[in-house]
Amino acid sequence: MSQAMDRKVVWITGASSGIGLALTKCYLDDGWKVLASARKQGELEPLLDNHQHLTFIPFDITDDSQMDSVRDTLSSYSAHLDCAVLNAGTCEYLDMTDTDPDWKMMDRIMSVNFIGLVNSVEVCLPLLKKSSRPHLVGVSSQAVQAAFPQAEAYGASKAAIRYFLSSLRMDLKQFNVDVTCLLPGFVDTPLTQKNTFSMPFLMSPDDAAKRMFSALESRPFEYAFPKRLTAMLWAGRHFPKLWLSMLAPKNK
Ligand SMILES: NC(=O)c1ccc[n+]([C@@H]2O[C@H](COP(=O)([O-])OP(=O)(O)OC[C@H]3O[C@@H](n4cnc5c(N)ncnc54)[C@H](OP(=O)(O)O)[C@@H]3O)[C@@H](O)[C@H]2O)c1
């Protein structure tokens, strides 16, 4: 069999920046064929010129009308997917000190992070099922492990992803599709670069992607990292009054 026929195929959403871009590099370095999606090529552009096994497929994950054509485009590049890493996402913080808080943010963030991921599953599942050993991966966040102020929208969307994937894991077992939920800690990307609070154990995108890539090899149900943050959030969850007194904004 030729080397080209042996090449495994992954679809990565949110591949134009941050974690998705770094993951794209990991998969390419490991010899995979990468089908990379985002709304715009962004930082993928220079990679596209230099990698024949990298293809950009534009997709706004909130736009239902693109779903069939994205599936058709994916299948025109490969009859099956061995892995899909559904990573695209965004973040906004609710400001309760505002006299008119931006409640519509809940809708915006859920549409991208949660419904967008569900749309992406709908797009790729038929192609995953054609693989002999399919792996579906979604990106949640360590933010789901304990409450953070102003994260009403972001945290809820990531908790929804975690539950959705854990339920989906049960229903896809009969089709031999393995499902992994990734829970990264703080990673230095455009998404977090606007944060004004301290981000303990901040990782570079390359470091985060390498940890994710190597953890995915054993197809865990969940992979939360770095462990020091997991431990800190475990304490926050088990000592909620202390956590509240440490993190809640002080009385005005
Ligand atoms: N950075 C962290 O500390 C951290 C921690 C835990 C979890 N995460 C999660 O990791 C994932 C990647 O985040 P990141 O930090 O790498 O952020 P990032 O650098 O801002 O990248 C976000 C990616 O998502 C894409 N995207 C956003 N909205 C989209 C839409 N409507 N349709 C399609 N693609 C869309 C963006 O491309 P376009 O704008 O071109 O579409 C971009 O490629 C997110 O799900 C995030 O919640 C991040």
Side-chain angles (χ1 to χ4, degrees), residues 81-217:
L81 291 173
D82 297 291
C83 182
V85 183
L86 308 181
N87 158 80
T90 189
C91 183
E92 291 182 63
Y93 296 114
L94 196 61
D95 183 359
M96 293 304 291
T97 63
D98 198 323
T99 47
D100 183 16
D102 182 7
W103 290 106
K104 287 267 175 283
M105 179 191 302
M106 293 300 295
D107 197 14
R108 281 199 303 277
I109 298 295
M110 289 302 281
S111 302
V112 178
N113 289 1
F114 181 57
I115 301 300
L117 180 132
V118 176
N119 287 344
S120 305
V121 171
E122 190 179 335
V123 166
C124 69
L125 196 52
L127 292 170
L128 280 171
K129 283 182 176 173
K130 290 183 182 164
S131 163
S132 55
R133 204 168 164 251
H135 192 189
L136 176 65
V137 181
V139 179
S140 173
S141 165
Q142 288 255 39
V144 306
Q145 311 255 39
F148 284 89
Q150 297 197 279
E152 288 85 352
Y154 184 74
S157 71
K158 293 295 175 179
I161 288 176
R162 189 189 200 184
Y163 192 93
F164 170 72
L165 292 176
S166 61
S167 181
L168 195 62
R169 178 178 303 117
M170 297 201 159
D171 289 311
L172 293 184
K173 190 170 187 304
Q174 61 198 311
F175 303 105
N176 294 320
V177 180
D178 293 320
V179 177
T180 296
C181 181
L182 295 171
L183 289 79
F186 294 108
V187 184
D188 187 10
T189 69
L191 183 140
T192 49
Q193 278 154 13
K194 58 191 177 192
N195 289 351
T196 49
F197 53 85
S198 88
M199 294 184 278
F201 319 122
L202 184 70
M203 295 165 281
S204 71
D206 285 341
D207 180 18
K210 278 181 193 145
R211 291 180 195 222
M212 290 157 102
F213 182 78
S214 97
L216 287 174
E217 208 157 331

Side-chain angles (χ1 to χ4, degrees), residues 14 16-17 19 39-40 59-61 87 154 158 185 187 189:
S16 63
S17 165
I19 296 170
R39 288 168 299 182
K40 302 233 171 72
F59 181 29
D60 180 340
I61 58 173
N87 158 80
Y154 184 74
K158 293 295 175 179
V187 184
T189 69

